[in-house]
Amino acid sequence: MKNVTVGEFIAESQNNFPGSTGELSKILSSIKLASKIVSHQINKAGLAKEILGSSGRENVQGEDQQKLDVFANDSFINALSARGVICGVASEENDSFVEFNSTVNNDAKYVVLIDPLDGSSNIDVNVSVGSIFSVYKRITDKGSNVDIKDFLQPGNRQVASGYIIYGSSTMLVYTTGKGVNGFTFDPSIGVFFLSHPDMKTPNDGTIYSVNEGNLNYFKKPVADYIKYCQSSNKDQMKTAYSSRYIGSLVADFHRNLIKGGIYLYPSTGTNPNGKLRLTYECAPLAFLIEQAGGRAISENQRIMDIVPTELHQRVPFFVGSKNMIDHLEENLESESRSI
Ligand code: AHG
Ligand code: MN
Ligand code: MN
């Protein structure tokens, strides 16, 4: 089989859209470039003290910023602004959105939202981390200043989304709404090759991924579902579930996408809206999982249909194999009927 590079794949896909201007292809190329730079830094994190550990600053959400959070943020923003194909970017690491103020950028029709480094507390212990991105068409007119409303669109308006996982190998997985494709990086020649064409997630799985240390703080229907998964191992008549939780959303998501499973970050006592951010964590992964045949919900709503009211808004997040999400949703619905 011919080895297809991500560049060839993007160009080929663009040919399937008559009238395409190539702007989306350039955005994906910029993301690809930034991911190579970040991947290179991550691979030497154990050796280079200047990129390991805390930057000594906090982001707007009060989280400790790692040096690599800052490095990855700068790499993605620089790569995205350089080509003049987007008018602005919103990032987990910036309080507000960043407007690219050149004429060429103001004329661009897309905005991008990013979690530049996901799972960054895992860097210091050599565990997989990732980057997540999401692309929307702006609402404001081309040529005008970009506005917060360009970034607060529901996930169902996404034009593209994806992630990079920096794991035992580096992979880029993305969708433009026509299925999901995965590319593995060959560091010897610096190229991503198509390795996982048309990814589909199994309808059923045996993996549940959740921070079980928070179990006592989950609402009853979610806690009941976790207990169901836990007890299934002891009952040979039922499916035996396994608990797998890395603590890097991208890595947990990627494993479950391939193997089948459910990932849960519910509300807790201290985090009534959960921990994960709607615009640059949940919505892009929801787009991907739906394109792969799975589902993503919050407590009572499809993630893709939630209209964000704030850039850094958090939502309870449940994502994965269709039948597992259906089961959890039945628990959530029967609880709300009984109130
Ligand atoms: P980030 O590093 O971008 O702030 O994201 C961290 C997130 C996510 O990657 C992970 O799934 C989750 O935090 C883990 O949270 P807990 O430690 O509370 O389980
Ligand atoms: Mn994250
Ligand atoms: Mn992050």
Side-chain angles (χ1 to χ4, degrees), residues 313-338:
Q313 179 178 346
R314 297 171 198 263
V315 286
F317 186 48
F318 309 106
V319 61
S321 292
K322 182 183 173 304
N323 294 343
M324 298 177 89
I325 297 285
D326 286 352
H327 181 163
L328 172 71
E329 193 176 47
E330 277 162 28
N331 276 21
L332 290 162
E333 282 172 357
S334 62
E335 173 78 7
S336 61
R337 273 197 300 273
S338 69

Side-chain angles (χ1 to χ4, degrees), residues 92 115 117-120 211 245 247 249 263 265 275 277 281:
E92 179 189 341
D115 177 355
L117 200 62
D118 171 68
S120 55
N211 186 337
Y245 190 69
L249 172 64
Y263 177 96
Y265 210 111
K275 179 179 182 188
R277 277 62 53 114
E281 291 180 317

Side-chain angles (χ1 to χ4, degrees), residues 5-10 25-39 76 79-80 83 133 164 166 170 172 174 183 185 190-193:
T5 69
V6 69
E8 289 167 344
F9 187 87
I10 291 169
S25 302
K26 284 187 190 153
I27 294 172
L28 293 170
S29 285
S30 304
I31 288 168
K32 178 182 75 174
L33 172 64
S35 72
K36 288 183 194 178
I37 297 168
V38 173
S39 177
F76 277 97
L80 285 163
R83 293 209 180 178
F133 64 90
I164 297 100
Y166 312 98
T170 293
L172 166 65
Y174 79 90
F183 303 81
F185 187 56
V191 174
F192 284 96
F193 286 106

